Amino acid sequence: MKTCCAPARCGNEIAPPPIVAQGALNGAIRTDAILDIPGGSGVLGTDRPVFPQDGEGPLRQTKIAPFRMDQTAVTNARFAAFVADTGYRTDAERLGNSLVFQGLLPENLPPTRAVADAPWWREVSGASWRVAYGPGGPDLEADHPAVHVSWNDARAFAVWAGGRLPTEAEWEHAARGGLGDVRFPWGDEEPNEHDFQPCNIWQGRFPRQDLALDGYAGTAPAKSFQPNGYGLFNMIGNVWEMTVDPFKVRSLKKSVVRANKRRIGLKVSKGGSFLCHRSYCYRYRIAARNSTTANSSTSHMGFRLVYD
């Protein structure tokens, strides 16, 4: 495992094309809406980077074709319908373990192994989308985002659902909600621990004390807080969301070119999660970027789909 905001399994295993058929998107499966996202001239990145080494900048204009997007991250209820229809087994289920934040572990769980340099992440045998905090944890919450889902798994779900993972440009365009060059989906006002908690991130001292001032320790329901200008919920905070794009940094510097070669197989994820805090992982900004391998899964990684 390597350590970062979203710890990743070693290796960049990308599964062959998933052998699943497109399913029927009926009322029993869909519990959320698909919204129209207007196209046109969009912006990507920022001229106010916090982590320049991540490739957050510069701000640049990009053309966006109209598309449709899930109003929320894919929920446990919807993922369960996919599994019931196809018999699909996730990477976490196949490999027998996944990563869970230590503060969410059941009290009676056997000893677990810590991730090097990030001991708040624990490798938990049997953790999967079915038991997000590990065996013996709380029951599955149908309206919460499905987690412990890898990029491989999300791609398989997308085939079944008739959609796809968004590009990074599409995700940022949707997250901005028509506001242009802003830091957050609601504008530039910074969340705080006094009177403004518009999203599900960490409040308190990371990683030992989560004050849960926003109302949630762990994931929140996929449809929580106020939607952005396009009607999308939780575009930042709650769970990281995967994109289809490879993680690369735009630069002609030889050192960056060499680093990009080492990043082959990594995928961009966006939006931050309930574990983000300004003191540790200030990546709950629209332009922020993170990377993970295609077979990685954690208790704070989810996804939503777009449709042409």
Side-chain angles (χ1 to χ4, degrees), residues 20-103:
V20 294
Q22 184 169 335
L25 294 179
N26 56 44
I29 294 174
R30 289 213 61 89
T31 57
D32 56 342
I34 302 177
L35 303 181
D36 292 317
I37 308 299
S41 180
V43 294
L44 178 64
T46 179
D47 283 333
R48 300 171 289 173
V50 176
F51 302 110
Q53 69 273 21
D54 288 352
E56 294 181 358
L59 184 75
R60 50 202 183 274
Q61 297 289 325
T62 183
K63 290 289 186 181
I64 302 290
F67 61 96
R68 308 184 76 206
M69 190 175 210
D70 285 337
Q71 188 176 36
T72 73
V74 172
T75 61
N76 284 315
R78 196 171 165 211
F79 199 79
F82 159 64
V83 171
D85 190 38
T86 63
Y88 185 85
R89 293 183 70 223
T90 62
D91 279 337
E93 290 170 302
R94 286 193 309 102
L95 297 170
N97 62 68
S98 192
L99 290 176
V100 181
F101 178 68
Q102 66 177 8

Side-chain angles (χ1 to χ4, degrees), residues 115-194:
V115 173
D117 300 325
W120 48 87
W121 281 110
R122 315 297 294 192
E123 186 178 300
V124 177
S125 295
S128 74
W129 72 274
R130 300 176 189 272
V131 279
Y133 305 148
D139 293 338
L140 191 71
E141 296 175 288
D143 62 344
H144 283 231
V147 294
H148 297 294
V149 176
S150 72
W151 187 90
N152 293 329
D153 304 329
R155 186 176 62 155
F157 180 95
V159 171
W160 175 81
R164 58 179 174 82
L165 290 173
T167 66
E168 184 176 11
E170 287 173 331
W171 190 95
E172 284 204 20
H173 179 69
R176 296 175 192 277
L179 296 181
D181 179 19
V182 291
R183 184 162 288 195
F184 307 108
W186 55 84
D188 283 321
E189 184 177 359
E190 185 77 38
N192 61 49
E193 299 186 2
H194 307 291

Side-chain angles (χ1 to χ4, degrees), residues 208-273:
R208 301 192 178 279
Q209 181 190 38
D210 184 3
L211 299 175
L213 299 177
D214 55 43
Y216 302 98
T219 59
K223 189 176 286 187
S224 301
F225 303 95
Q226 290 296 311
N228 75 353
Y230 291 153
L232 302 167
F233 287 88
N234 289 320
M235 288 299 285
I236 66 166
N238 213 24
V239 295
W240 283 97
E241 297 188 3
M242 293 172 262
T243 76
V244 72
D245 285 346
F247 186 91
K248 295 189 296 185
V249 175
R250 294 162 58 97
S251 176
L252 296 178
K253 292 183 179 179
K254 291 182 179 180
S255 60
V256 176
V257 172
R258 288 195 298 269
N260 281 336
K261 290 180 180 179
R262 295 193 296 270
R263 297 181 178 115
I264 291 174
L266 297 181
K267 303 296 181 180
V268 175
S269 53
K270 302 285 287 184
S273 79

